[in-house]
Amino acid sequence: MTKFIIDLIAWGGYFGIFLLMALENVVPPIPSEVIMGLGGMAVARGHMNLWLLIAAGTLGTTVGNYFWYALGRHFGYEGLKPFIDRWGRWLTLEWEDVQKLRNFFRKRGGWVIFVFRFMPTFRTIISLPAGMACMPRWKFLLWTFAGSAIWNTILAAAGLFLDTRFQQIDRYVGPVAIATFVLIAAAYAWRVATWKPRARR
C-alpha cells in the first residue's frame, strides 16, 4: 500500500495527493494518515510545499466526503422508509430513530461533522446521514473543509517531523485498522443480538 501511495505522489504531485485523499474517503482502506504523512516527508526533503500539500489534501478530503453526502441526499430521507421497514432489525433502527437523527442533524449537524473529522473510523460515513437529513450544502462543505484542514495539518506535520521514521509507523497502521474493524464488527453483532423493537421493550 505504501509503495502505491509513494508512486502516485511521485507521478501526480499535489494532484496525486488530492486524488488519494478523495479515494481515501470513498475506499476507506487507503489510510489518510499514511498519505499525508508521506506528503509531510516530501516537504521535509524539499519536494513539496507544506501549505500546498495541506490544501490539496483538504480539497481531496472534502470532495471524497461530498460523494457520500450527495449519495445520501439523492436517496433522501423518505426514500429510506421501505428499507428501514424491511431491514430495520439488522440495522437496529426503527423509523422513529431515523426521524430523530434527521432532526438532530438539522439542528446541530455542523459541529457533529466538524468533530467527526478527527475520528478515524466514522469521519467518512457521517457524511451519508448528513445528506439524507438534507443538511445545507454550504454548511456541510464548510465544516468538512474546516475539520479536515486541521486534521490534515496534524498528519502532514507528523510526517514532516518524523521524516524517514514515518515508515516505521506504517507497520502499525494496518494492524490498528484491522483491530478497529474487528471491534466495530463485534459491537455490531452484540447490538443486533440484544436489540429489541420498541413494541417489545
Side-chain angles (χ1 to χ4, degrees):
M1 180 64 73
T2 303
K3 186 178 185 305
F4 167 74
I5 294 171
I6 292 172
D7 290 344
L8 191 52
I9 293 174
W11 169 78
Y14 298 111
F15 175 73
I17 292 287
F18 167 84
L19 188 60
L20 283 166
M21 292 299 285
L23 286 173
E24 186 265 338
N25 288 279
V26 178
V27 188
I30 301 176
S32 62
E33 291 81 359
V34 175
I35 298 167
M36 293 303 294
L38 290 172
M41 288 172 57
V43 171
R45 298 174 185 185
H47 301 312
M48 280 188 166
N49 175 276
L50 178 63
W51 301 113
L52 290 178
L53 167 67
I54 293 169
T58 302
L59 285 172
T61 300
T62 304
V63 169
N65 277 278
Y66 184 75
F67 168 82
W68 292 108
Y69 171 86
L71 194 66
R73 190 149 184 155
H74 172 74
F75 284 102
Y77 161 70
E78 295 294 342
L80 267 182
K81 194 169 191 314
F83 185 80
I84 295 296
D85 289 341
R86 182 171 183 179
W87 301 104
R89 171 70 184 86
W90 297 104
L91 296 171
T92 66
L93 283 174
E94 295 182 82
W95 186 240
E96 184 178 334
D97 298 319
V98 178
Q99 290 175 316
K100 288 180 178 178
L101 182 63
R102 177 177 180 250
N103 293 335
F104 178 79
F105 259 98
R106 286 190 165 181
K107 292 178 182 177
R108 300 180 179 86
W111 71 263
V112 173
I113 292 294
F114 179 80
V115 169
F116 268 62
R117 292 299 150 218
F118 304 94
M119 298 184 180
T121 307
F122 301 105
R123 64 172 174 249
T124 296
I125 201 64
I126 197 66
S127 303
L128 191 62
M132 288 179 171
C134 291
M135 181 180 181
R137 189 175 282 104
W138 69 267
K139 185 180 289 187
F140 173 81
L141 292 173
L142 175 64
W143 287 108
T144 297
F145 188 90
S148 300
I150 295 172
W151 180 242
N152 290 337
T153 299
I154 293 170
L155 296 178
L160 175 62
F161 288 113
L162 292 172
D163 196 11
T164 55
R165 285 171 291 178
F166 194 84
Q167 292 184 4
Q168 298 173 12
I169 295 175
D170 183 41
R171 298 176 189 174
Y172 303 99
V173 171
V176 168
I178 292 171
T180 301
F181 281 117
V182 169
L183 286 173
I184 292 170
Y188 169 74
W190 179 84
R191 181 168 170 80
V192 168
T194 58
W195 184 81
K196 294 179 181 178
R198 284 181 175 81
R200 294 175 55 193
R201 294 176 193 172

